[in-house]
Amino acid sequence: MKLKTLLGTVASSLALATGAYAQTEIQWWHAFTGRLGDLLAEQVEQFNASQSDYRVVASHKGNYSETLNAGIAAFRAGEQPHILQVFEVGTATMMAAGGAIKPVYEVMGEAGATWDPDGYIGPVKGYYTTTEGDMLSLPYNSSTPVLYVNRDLFTQAGLDPDMDLSTWQNVGEALDGLKAGGVNCPLTTAWQSWVHLENFSAYHDIPFATKDNGFGGLDTELAFNGPVQVQHIQAMGDWAQDGKFFYAGRRNEGGANFRGGECALFTESSAGYAGVKAQAEFDFEIRPLPYWEGVDGAPQNTIIGGASLWVMQGHEAEEYAAVAAFLNFLSSSDIQAAWHQNTGYLPITMAAADQTKAEGFYDANPGTEIAGMQMMGKAPTGNSKGLRLGSFDQIRGIIDEELEAVWSGSKSAEEALGSAVERGNALLRRFEQANG
Amino acid sequence: MEKRVTFKGWLLPMLLLLPQVIITAVFFFYPAGQAVWQSLFIPDPFGLKSQFVGLGNFEFLLNDPFYRASFLTTAIFSTLVTLVSMGVALFLAVLADRLIKGSGAYRTLLIWPYAVAPAVAGVLWLFMFNTRVGVVSWYLGLLGYDWNHVLNGNEAMGLVVVASAWGRISYNFLFFLAGLQAIPRSVIEAAAIDGARFWTRFRTIVFPLLSPTTFFLLVVNIVYAFFETFGVIHTITSGGPQQSTTILVYKVFSDGFVGQDLGSSAAQSVILLFVVGLLTVVQFKYIERRVHY
């Protein structure tokens, strides 16, 4: 009896093993939880069900920083996944690690996949492409900052909710009116460095860093303490002192205050749309990010945030074929259009954008097209292609600290940005030394 | 004459010592040696290449005014955490020691916070003091005090100290209570008969007799404040605002795992090792002299 059970077990596990052997399995480490995690799992299931040669296994490895760390630690131990989701801030780190990554254009080329890198939207593609035009990682989730408006609070404060908010000058007037009308939190923001310095610089066509924001080489230096940035940060600092700008925290803490109906204006990623739509019990609207009128070239275009998929070195050829098939599947316009509509992330291919428009999504959900328009309105310049800076996660931390000093009134914008540039440059030099 | 038990050969004592030596070598000397070795290099994050820089990492660190400030921050933080957690624990233990009825329940309740992990404790305190929706900050607002530890460095420091000390009070309380109960009643009663009041008895008899416990807790709590409070700081302030709560061990983490700068991180570990080593030597050399066993 016992022997029989044992034999049965052996036989069935052998059958299972041979069954699994026919499929090539690849690992994908990602940073998504909650609704985004569910949508990602759906994509994987769909791919696994669509064919029988390959199987993708997705694993959640913590937030963006933790996922990158997990990938790095795994590489050092020789246990790296095939695909690693890395946030845009880690792009320079990954690009500098030539021996650890396998560029996407190479993966696609070797697998002979029919794949058109030009199908991607310019500003999205540009972020992850070398100056020679080779795409190194596959854009996955990309967003750009926009302005969310609580229309009810405008009405309550006696302001016209349809008033022009396209310039910071007008926003300044609106803040006066909101404050006078008894609104406790006229303006708040998420991701202050990303919105008010990185995107701000691109949008006003001024450099964030030298050498085309680092695209031109590792010897780049930070340059975001120019007069336009100083003027903007000082204006924000003054608003903070007057109680017109409420600072909630470094990440997207302010979202809770906006969704709860406390704040009238909120600068946040377009990907925040799903959350606002689900929770806001007031009439809200999405507007383009404001710019300062009178600055030459403004508004240029905004840049992206989000993450891309990097393929890691050290795997078998047939596994790379599986990776190519999966990445191709992810870029298909059906998948991309659904992703864009469900999350508020940008459509990363032209085809997905056209499909979304044809399906009438933008008419049914006014405001969702603004992020795309804002990014693609003008051809990107050297200042608005994106950022490629080493140790950038930490540099953002430094910027956060210095901005907090402005919001609390302990430093002027000029002092704070000057100090952030100086401290950030020290890190850039170390990065250059480690990776040069 | 002191009686000494000695081994005849050297083989058996060596054999008995071996497990401890192996454990120390594997879990302490090896990683510490690695840290010292790594601190001399600037490696890239993926370990593909590495550059020898000698003491360059240390030079870079000591030239960084924020790193130097972090020593002071660590000193203030550890002193406050140790004082608050030991002070409150001693006070509670003295009260519990005098308690006759219901002392069991009282003690059990006091021990509970020790079971809460530092990171969770951090989140609990963060909720209470959240600048917009926190219960405590809301009441403070009613009193006209605008609590904002996101921008105010002193408030941030206060909050991480309280959150770090809170869970530790239980631990210290247990040891103090045991220490108090080990003091012979007869000594205290004799003093009472001589007319010594509570405060005099505490100052001249109880506290000196408690000194071995106090010394032990002092060492353990300082080590706790230096290393284990990481979770609290990470969840509440992430070292901010303006690095006002960045203690040395938090900077090791943020440079190593956020900045991927393993050379600097290793150099900081080495410095930290020396600081704690020095501190322990000082404690045993100068403070232990005042301890009566």
Side-chain angles (χ1 to χ4, degrees):
Chain A
M1 181 63 201
K2 260 191 179 163
L3 189 70
K4 233 182 188 174
T5 335
L6 188 68
L7 281 176
T9 321
V10 170
S12 59
S13 46
L14 271 177
L16 270 177
T18 40
Y21 190 68
Q23 273 189 333
T24 307
E25 193 176 285
I26 55 168
Q27 302 289 330
W28 176 18
W29 288 6
H30 66 85
F32 278 163
T33 48
R35 180 161 160 71
L36 288 174
D38 294 343
L39 289 167
L40 182 149
E42 237 171 73
Q43 292 179 338
V44 170
E45 258 168 56
Q46 223 176 320
F47 174 74
N48 287 341
S50 71
Q51 43 73 48
S52 58
D53 295 340
Y54 312 123
R55 215 176 94 77
V56 175
V57 179
S59 325
H60 172 65
K61 291 286 167 183
N63 66 29
Y64 279 142
S65 299
E66 288 159 0
T67 303
L68 176 58
N69 278 320
I72 289 175
F75 182 82
R76 296 179 80 113
E79 302 282 334
Q80 69 273 27
H82 300 79
I83 306 173
L84 184 68
Q85 184 190 20
V86 178
F87 57 163
E88 95 282 358
V89 171
T91 302
T93 303
M94 298 303 284
M95 282 190 173
I101 56 139
K102 193 169 170 72
V104 161
Y105 77 93
E106 226 177 272
V107 174
M108 294 301 202
E110 283 169 17
T114 46
W115 178 66
D116 175 23
D118 294 329
Y120 294 91
I121 285 170
V124 175
K125 184 182 110 183
Y127 211 104
Y128 304 115
T129 301
T130 64
T131 26
E132 288 83 48
D134 296 326
M135 194 186 261
L136 298 183
S137 64
L138 187 89
Y140 181 60
N141 55 306
S142 307
S143 61
T144 203
V146 288
L147 178 70
Y148 291 77
V149 183
N150 180 332
R151 292 175 62 89
D152 290 359
L153 282 183
F154 269 70
T155 317
Q156 229 177 72
L159 296 178
D160 175 12
D162 290 318
M163 74 180 282
D164 181 13
L165 293 171
S166 62
T167 65
W168 283 111
Q169 280 93 339
N170 290 351
V171 170
E173 279 169 30
L175 295 182
D176 294 341
L178 288 163
K179 178 85 188 160
V183 175
N184 276 328
C185 169
L187 169 69
T188 190
T189 189
W191 313 107
Q192 50 186 354
S193 165
W194 182 60
V195 177
H196 294 283
L197 281 174
E198 298 161 36
N199 269 288
F200 179 86
S201 301
Y203 209 33
H204 292 78
D205 196 16
I206 44 178
F208 183 82
T210 60
K211 299 247 165 185
D212 286 349
N213 291 340
F215 277 63
L218 289 177
D219 53 343
T220 170
E221 286 188 357
L222 300 173
F224 55 76
N225 57 342
V228 183
Q229 288 107 329
V230 167
Q231 182 215 349
H232 178 65
I233 297 303
Q234 193 57 58
M236 296 275 292
D238 294 342
W239 289 336
Q241 293 305 305
D242 299 344
K244 295 176 202 158
F245 161 50
F246 168 69
Y247 174 65
R250 296 179 173 185
R251 302 167 70 83
N252 49 5
E253 290 88 344
N257 303 101
F258 181 78
R259 293 193 298 271
E262 200 185 332
C263 298
L265 294 169
F266 179 38
T267 49
E268 151 78 316
S269 155
S270 57
Y273 172 74
V276 173
K277 194 182 177 193
Q279 287 179 26
E281 286 172 359
F282 51 82
D283 190 15
F284 78 93
E285 186 187 11
I286 295 176
R287 299 276 192 97
L289 200 65
Y291 62 94
W292 286 100
E293 198 166 11
V295 176
D296 272 349
Q300 178 53 42
N301 63 294
T302 51
I303 56 175
I304 56 167
S308 67
L309 304 182
W310 289 83
V311 184
M312 308 290 289
Q313 274 296 359
H315 297 288
E316 306 294 324
E318 66 198 50
E319 291 169 339
Y320 285 124
V323 170
F326 181 58
L327 295 185
N328 234 338
F329 166 84
L330 282 183
S331 334
S332 67
S333 62
D334 278 349
I335 294 289
Q336 279 307 321
W339 179 251
H340 164 51
Q341 294 169 22
N342 284 330
T343 61
Y345 278 115
L346 294 163
I348 56 172
T349 60
M350 312 288 192
D354 293 343
Q355 185 173 336
T356 303
K357 196 169 190 176
E359 285 168 3
F361 179 78
Y362 295 135
D363 299 328
N365 298 277
T368 47
E369 77 286 8
I370 283 176
M373 280 159 47
Q374 192 177 285
M375 286 216 49
M376 292 179 285
K378 284 186 188 174
T381 68
N383 294 327
S384 71
K385 263 195 299 188
L387 303 173
R388 193 160 300 163
L389 303 168
S391 301
F392 197 48
D393 203 3
Q394 236 182 347
I395 293 177
R396 265 200 187 158
I398 290 175
I399 294 174
D400 283 335
E401 285 170 20
E402 297 289 348
L403 288 182
E404 282 164 357
V406 179
W407 309 156
S408 69
S410 66
K411 274 191 185 178
S412 73
E414 197 174 352
E415 271 176 276
L417 294 182
S419 152
V421 162
E422 194 183 316
R423 291 170 62 196
N425 279 338
L427 291 180
L428 285 179
R429 293 295 72 77
R430 269 187 79 83
F431 185 80
E432 189 185 358
Q433 200 176 353
N435 294 283
Chain B
M1 267 289 281
E2 195 183 352
K3 195 183 168 215
R4 282 184 165 219
V5 182
T6 50
F7 290 104
K8 287 221 173 70
W10 54 270
L11 199 66
L12 183 64
M14 284 297 165
L15 211 65
L16 292 174
L17 276 175
L18 198 63
Q20 179 65 44
V21 171
I22 290 177
I23 287 174
T24 314
V26 170
F27 293 103
F28 180 73
F29 289 124
Y30 176 66
Q34 284 258 309
V36 173
W37 179 246
Q38 271 185 13
S39 70
L40 306 176
F41 292 86
I42 295 186
D44 85 308
F46 288 87
L48 296 166
K49 49 185 184 283
S50 186
Q51 218 182 109
F52 182 77
V53 289
L55 295 177
N57 284 325
F58 294 95
E59 200 187 320
F60 174 77
L61 278 173
L62 297 173
N63 278 328
D64 177 0
F66 281 90
Y67 186 65
R68 295 198 301 262
S70 171
F71 280 94
L72 184 65
T73 310
T74 311
I76 295 173
F77 175 77
S78 330
T79 312
L80 286 176
V81 169
T82 310
L83 281 182
V84 171
S85 63
M86 286 179 65
V88 175
L90 180 60
F91 177 69
L92 293 174
V94 169
L95 294 185
D97 192 36
R98 293 161 64 88
L99 206 64
I100 297 157
K101 255 190 187 169
S103 63
Y106 180 72
R107 272 180 243 160
T108 312
L109 287 177
L110 266 178
I111 290 158
W112 275 4
Y114 188 54
V116 179
V120 179
V123 174
L124 290 175
W125 285 87
L126 184 59
F127 272 128
M128 287 192 285
F129 282 88
N130 181 298
T131 45
R132 282 273 144 165
V133 298
V135 179
V136 180
S137 48
W138 189 75
Y139 279 114
L140 284 172
L142 289 186
L143 297 174
Y145 188 83
D146 184 20
W147 177 270
N148 192 349
H149 65 265
V150 179
L151 289 180
N152 184 322
N154 292 332
E155 290 175 5
M157 178 58 98
L159 185 56
V160 290
V161 165
V162 170
S164 307
W166 174 67
R168 208 59 192 177
I169 290 172
S170 310
Y171 179 88
N172 295 343
F173 168 79
L174 269 185
F175 279 87
F176 274 131
L177 189 62
L180 285 171
Q181 289 178 340
I183 296 173
R185 293 281 133 184
S186 53
V187 184
I188 297 170
E189 279 159 14
I193 290 165
D194 286 346
R197 293 189 172 271
F198 173 76
W199 180 238
T200 317
R201 294 202 302 268
F202 180 79
R203 202 164 42 86
T204 56
I205 297 171
V206 176
F207 194 68
L209 284 175
L210 206 56
S211 60
T213 311
T214 313
F215 177 67
F216 162 76
L217 287 178
L218 184 70
V219 175
V220 171
N221 277 293
I222 286 182
V223 171
Y224 164 80
F226 259 78
F227 293 103
E228 287 166 56
T229 47
F230 164 83
V232 172
I233 291 182
H234 190 51
T235 45
I236 298 187
T237 63
S238 301
Q242 283 273 301
Q243 303 219 354
S244 55
T245 54
T246 301
I247 59 170
L248 290 167
V249 72
Y250 192 76
K251 201 167 156 56
V252 171
F253 161 79
S254 69
D255 284 355
F257 291 96
V258 181
Q260 318 289 359
D261 187 349
L262 297 176
S264 164
S265 191
Q268 291 176 38
S269 311
V270 172
I271 294 176
L272 199 56
L273 198 72
F274 275 109
V275 170
V276 174
L278 203 69
L279 213 62
T280 312
V281 169
V282 168
Q283 284 172 337
F284 275 90
K285 218 168 153 91
Y286 298 100
I287 303 180
E288 204 193 11
R289 282 192 187 162
R290 298 166 165 268
V291 174
H292 312 268
Y293 287 104

